[in-house]
Structure formats: structure tokens, C-alpha cells
Amino acid sequence: MIGVGLIGAGFIGRNHFNQYEKLGQRAKVVALCDKEPQRRAGDWSGVGGNIGDAQGTKRDLGDIKPYAEWRDLLADPKVQMVDICVPTYLHPEMSIAALDAGKHVLCEKPMALTVEACDKVLSAAAKAKGRFMIAQCIRFWPECVYLKQAIDDKRFGKLKALSLRRQASTPTYSLNDWILDPKLSGGAILDLHVHDTDWALHLLGTPQTITAQVSKRNGSPDRVHSLWYYRPDLVLQIEGFWDMPSAFGFNMGFTARFEKAAVMFELSNGKPLTVFKEDGSTETPTMGPNDGYFNEIDYFLGCIERGAGPNVSTPGESREAVRMALLEKESAKTGQSARV
Ligand SMILES: NC(=O)c1ccc[n+]([C@@H]2O[C@H](COP(=O)([O-])OP(=O)(O)OC[C@H]3O[C@@H](n4cnc5c(N)ncnc54)[C@H](O)[C@@H]3O)[C@@H](O)[C@H]2O)c1
């Protein structure tokens, strides 16, 4: 049984907590740190989010040790793995300290707000005895795994065009609205859209150039549209925004056009992933039972159990996802394509 210390009991920390409960005997949250007294006592009634459980509840944390200071949690010998679910600007400092303390570390995305900070985390990970992974849940999302397999095994022929989208109402659920401050979150590009820069790299590798357009509100990027150039016969278009009216909620989706079929998924319409064939028929392949949040934690626990680093989502790839997002910002600023 792996003893887990969870830092941050907000939107995603609460989600991860629920996943550990489903994982049974393999892992147990033994310590929980949040700087907010109610949250570290299990009162999550004020915690919201845009995907998964709509609203938090009060939880009985039983024998889970509460910590007000995250460095004290790191010193707890019962904690073998640290799960970092705090605002993004804190990720590098906490990841490095937890790795230096000899813990296994799962940290929420993005790895950091700059490439330089990512590189410091990578150096700490390279000399650490613990395993390290950024929680890139999309790489583990059943529909996304299906698309990756279809691209790799060419069951529908070659991929010709792909569009990825992540669309949301303006987030109003983060504690003290830290997410709307670009110095703390990087805005919609590094918070929301970075899921797709990471996923695009996973699906198709590194592009040659990137061209992007970005909109801002109150100085914070809230919309990005980008084109990644690989080769003349492949189009990759990505859009990510959180400027939608409040009633919109959240959607993620993709449309993939292969030589012999098109594959489409739209989370918000409630329909299953659908394959549209050239003969006019459609297919709805069966997906795995668990979402990407469960699967990523399940996978990382497996890495610890096997004594091997992750190879589905490596720290180096998570660094590249940040670099691509920052190249998009650069392209938007200069009005030129950015060479990768
Ligand atoms: N993978 C996903 O789909 C997904 C979804 C949401 C958020 N995230 C990521 O998770 C991270 C957290 O986002 P969130 O939406 O859960 O934010 P949130 O505001 O809902 O929760 C953050 C929690 O961290 C706590 N915290 C802040 N500073 C702390 C400190 N110094 N010590 C201890 N606790 C501290 C806060 O009190 C709060 O409870 C962000 O990096 C975000 O990008 C990922």
C-alpha cells in the first residue's frame, strides 16, 4: 500500500482524493495539506469545478493527518508519494522539494509557467530516487487513447486533418480567482489549452512551425487558436478558450479525418465517440470504464510498483507541452510563425 500525501484540496485535489478511494488497497491518502483550515478538515462544500463532480461535500477524513504547512507533510515518514494539486505557480518549488525529500511525485499540469522552471524540475527528477510524472490526464482519457491507437495503427488509413478543442465558461471556481491571474496560472493557454499542446505532441510528435492567435481579457490570455505545421498533407488545428458565457460550462472534443473514416468526440453532447465510415455506416466503439483522472493515477501507482519511470507521459514531454504553449504566445505576439 502506497501512502499518499495530497497537497491542495480544491477542485482537482478533491477529484484525486476520490480516485484514491476507488483504488482500494494499492494506495491510501495518509496526509492532506491545504492552507485553508476548512479544506484540510474535509469541508469541501465550497469547492467547485468544470468537470467531474459538480460540487464538493463535507468529508470525514478519519485518520488522515491534516497539515497546514506542506513542508511538514513532506517530512511525514508515512508519505511515500506526494500528489501536488495546488495553483500552478507553486508546482516547481513543491515538486523539487518533494523529489529532494525522496518521495514519488505526481504533480498537476502544467509542470511550470516557464521552460527555465521546467528545466529545474527535470534536473531534480533526474537525480531523485522517487518516480515523477505530471498528471496529463488527457493522455489517459479513453476516447483520446482510442484516437492515439487509430493514428498509430492506421486502421482508417493515414490521418489527413485533426482539430482539437477545449472550450469553457470563464472559470469562477478557483480559490480567490488565482486562475484568472496570468502570473499565477499562465491564463487559458497554460492552464486549459496546455492539455492539448501535450496531447498533440503525444499524437503527432513535434511540429516544424506553429502559428497562433491569442485574445486577452484584463491582460490574461483567454482564447487561443493555433495551427501546427507538420507536412503539407496534414493539418492540425487547436482551439482553447475560457471566454464563454457562464451557461456554456465545459467541452472538450476532437474531429479526426482519416483517409477512410472520420472520428469525432464531443464531451458536452453526451454522445459516444463515433466513427463515420465511407460506406455511410457509423460505429461507436466501446470505451474503458474509467476516466483519465483514475487512469493516470492508476498508471503512476503502477510505475512506483514496477520501479520504473513513466513512459506514457514523461517529464520531458510535459516540459515540451509548456514550451509549445509559450511558442504559441510568441507567434501571437509577433504575428509570425514560430519555428519549433
Ligand atoms: N487535470 C485537470 O483536468 C485539471 C483540472 C483543474 C485543475 N488542474 C490543475 O490543478 C491545479 C490546482 O487547480 P484547482 O482548480 O484545483 O485550484 P483550486 O483553487 O480549486 O484549489 C487549489 C487548492 O490549493 C490550496 N493551496 C494553495 N496554496 C497552497 C499552499 N501553499 N499550501 C497548501 N495548499 C495550498 C488552496 O487552498 C486550494 O484548496 C492547477 O495547476 C490546475 O492547472 C488540472
Side-chain angles (χ1 to χ4, degrees), residues 15 131 175 222 313 334:
N15 177 312
R131 307 288 158 204
L175 192 71
D222 65 358
S313 171
T334 61

Side-chain angles (χ1 to χ4, degrees), residues 7-14 16 33-36 39 47-48 50-51 67-70 84-91 94 108-110 135-138 141 173-176 178-179 185 190-192 195 293 296:
I7 311 181
F11 168 25
I12 203 67
R14 181 172 60 92
H16 283 200
C33 170
D34 198 291
K35 67 180 183 54
E36 299 295 311
R39 291 188 178 197
V47 178
N50 63 8
I51 186 169
Y67 286 98
E69 292 296 329
W70 60 273
I84 299 173
C85 293
V86 294
T88 304
Y89 69 101
L90 295 165
H91 292 180
M94 286 191 189
E108 259 308 328
K109 44 50 67 177
Q136 309 279 183
C137 60
I138 298 305
W141 213 274
Y173 45 78
S174 71
L175 192 71
N176 304 325
W178 68 266
I179 206 170
S185 72
L190 275 165
D191 191 90
L192 174 96
H195 278 297
Y293 298 121
E296 71 187 357

Side-chain angles (χ1 to χ4, degrees), residues 149-272:
Q149 287 165 350
I151 291 173
D152 288 352
D153 67 20
K154 299 194 173 55
R155 68 189 74 168
F156 306 123
K158 239 167 93 172
L159 180 70
K160 290 167 39 177
L162 174 63
S163 94
L164 309 179
R165 46 194 169 272
R166 199 160 300 274
Q167 310 158 323
S169 305
T170 305
T172 51
Y173 45 78
S174 71
L175 192 71
N176 304 325
D177 279 340
W178 68 266
I179 206 170
L180 297 176
D181 181 342
K183 291 193 289 304
L184 308 183
S185 72
I189 297 189
L190 275 165
D191 191 90
L192 174 96
H193 171 73
V194 76
H195 278 297
D196 289 314
T197 64
D198 178 67
W199 193 35
L201 289 170
H202 183 52
L203 292 176
L204 301 173
T206 307
Q208 293 174 24
T209 58
I210 288 177
T211 308
Q213 207 173 342
V214 171
S215 309
K216 290 185 180 179
R217 198 171 14 162
N218 301 325
S220 185
D222 65 358
R223 173 175 283 266
V224 54
H225 293 256
S226 68
L227 282 173
W228 290 25
Y229 182 85
Y230 287 87
R231 46 172 215 264
D233 61 343
L234 173 65
V235 178
L236 170 61
Q237 164 191 322
I238 319 178
E239 65 178 42
F241 45 82
W242 67 27
D243 62 357
M244 297 295 275
S246 59
F248 178 84
F250 176 76
N251 181 45
M252 65 178 179
F254 58 81
T255 307
R257 182 64 168 115
F258 293 87
E259 285 168 316
K260 293 185 265 177
V263 180
M264 192 169 166
F265 174 63
E266 211 73 74
L267 184 76
S268 65
N269 71 9
K271 291 187 188 161

